[in-house]
Amino acid sequence: AVLACGEGTVVSHLTAAHLLGLRDRLPAVIDVIAPKQSGRAIDGIRRHFVSPPSGHERGQCMAIPCTSPARTIVDLAGTLGERSLRHVVERAAVLGVLEAQEIERQLATRRRRGAPVLRAILQPWRTAGSGESTTNRASTTGRTTITPYLRSELEARLFALIKSSDLPTPACNESIALVDGAASIEVDFLWPQQRVVVETDGKAVHDN
């Protein structure tokens, strides 16, 4: 699709989300942002008439030009419902590619459908990275992102709930020493001052 639509074309929206690992299902048609009128009449390609990505709003995945995770999420805000959009944001957090400040910057520079809903979803993630265990990861744009070290979407969902509530921020996937000092274990969420641990394992772990 990128080759068919010409130089400057990037995969976008639902197709970019699938390519970046933010959604599991590949859409029936390929979403692109293309220059001028390219790709408008090609079967199997859906061209979106939005402003083209610039700078770090674009990147590559498996050598395919595509919108960055942040730009993809901004584009999806006008396409997906609240529940599906929240799922994409949580998946981005688990993959370590959620850049809340960059998404806010993009929303501020242009009017976008779904912006109020996306801003509400981002609220718990605006201060993520301060106080909890974090990981530094390189995104498809080559920029380093700092996100909570989360390993599942259930952890991301609970983390967002904690941040939205009047609760102290926990350390995430932290190693703690056992009483005898002979070994250590890794826990999902840790509040050391309160001496509280919360585990978020689901059916895959406990249904046996």
Side-chain angles (χ1 to χ4, degrees), residues 184-202:
S184 63
I185 60 173
E186 186 175 278
V187 297
D188 293 347
F189 295 96
L190 170 66
W191 289 264
Q193 185 176 354
Q194 292 82 9
R195 299 178 63 81
V196 171
V197 163
V198 170
E199 289 290 311
T200 56
D201 301 309

Side-chain angles (χ1 to χ4, degrees), residues 98-205:
L98 179 61
E99 298 178 276
Q101 291 183 345
E102 172 58 20
I103 293 173
E104 289 282 5
R105 184 197 69 78
Q106 293 184 30
L107 290 175
T109 57
R110 58 178 71 91
R111 294 182 62 183
R112 301 303 301 264
R113 290 171 49 205
V117 173
L118 179 54
R119 286 194 173 100
I121 292 173
L122 284 178
Q123 179 60 39
W125 302 100
R126 287 192 176 94
T127 57
S130 57
E132 64 275 1
S133 298
T134 60
T135 181
N136 298 339
R137 311 187 197 186
S139 70
T140 56
T141 63
R143 305 171 69 199
T144 298
T145 63
I146 301 177
T147 58
Y149 179 36
L150 303 169
R151 298 193 300 180
S152 72
E153 292 170 45
L154 182 57
E155 288 183 10
R157 194 164 303 162
L158 179 58
F159 180 82
L161 180 64
I162 292 168
K163 296 288 286 187
S164 299
S165 306
D166 188 21
L167 293 170
T169 301
C172 305
N173 289 294
E174 187 83 358
S175 292
I176 59 174
L178 299 179
V179 175
D180 59 11
S184 63
I185 60 173
E186 186 175 278
V187 297
D188 293 347
F189 295 96
L190 170 66
W191 289 264
Q193 185 176 354
Q194 292 82 9
R195 299 178 63 81
V196 171
V197 163
V198 170
E199 289 290 311
T200 56
D201 301 309
K203 180 179 179 181
V205 175

Side-chain angles (χ1 to χ4, degrees), residues 31-105:
D31 297 294
V32 300
I33 300 173
K36 299 180 181 178
Q37 301 302 312
S38 301
R40 191 171 187 177
I42 302 176
D43 289 340
I45 297 176
R46 176 169 49 204
R47 180 174 182 257
H48 292 267
F49 294 88
V50 295
S51 58
S54 60
H56 50 257
E57 292 182 15
R58 58 185 297 149
Q60 287 194 350
C61 186
M62 295 184 289
I64 301 172
C66 65
T67 49
S68 68
R71 174 58 191 266
T72 302
I73 292 171
V74 170
D75 288 335
L76 290 178
T79 303
L80 298 178
E82 180 179 357
R83 182 176 180 179
S84 296
L85 185 60
R86 188 182 303 276
H87 179 77
V88 169
V89 170
E90 291 167 353
R91 180 75 69 89
V94 173
L95 294 176
V97 296
L98 179 61
E99 298 178 276
Q101 291 183 345
E102 172 58 20
I103 293 173
E104 289 282 5
R105 184 197 69 78

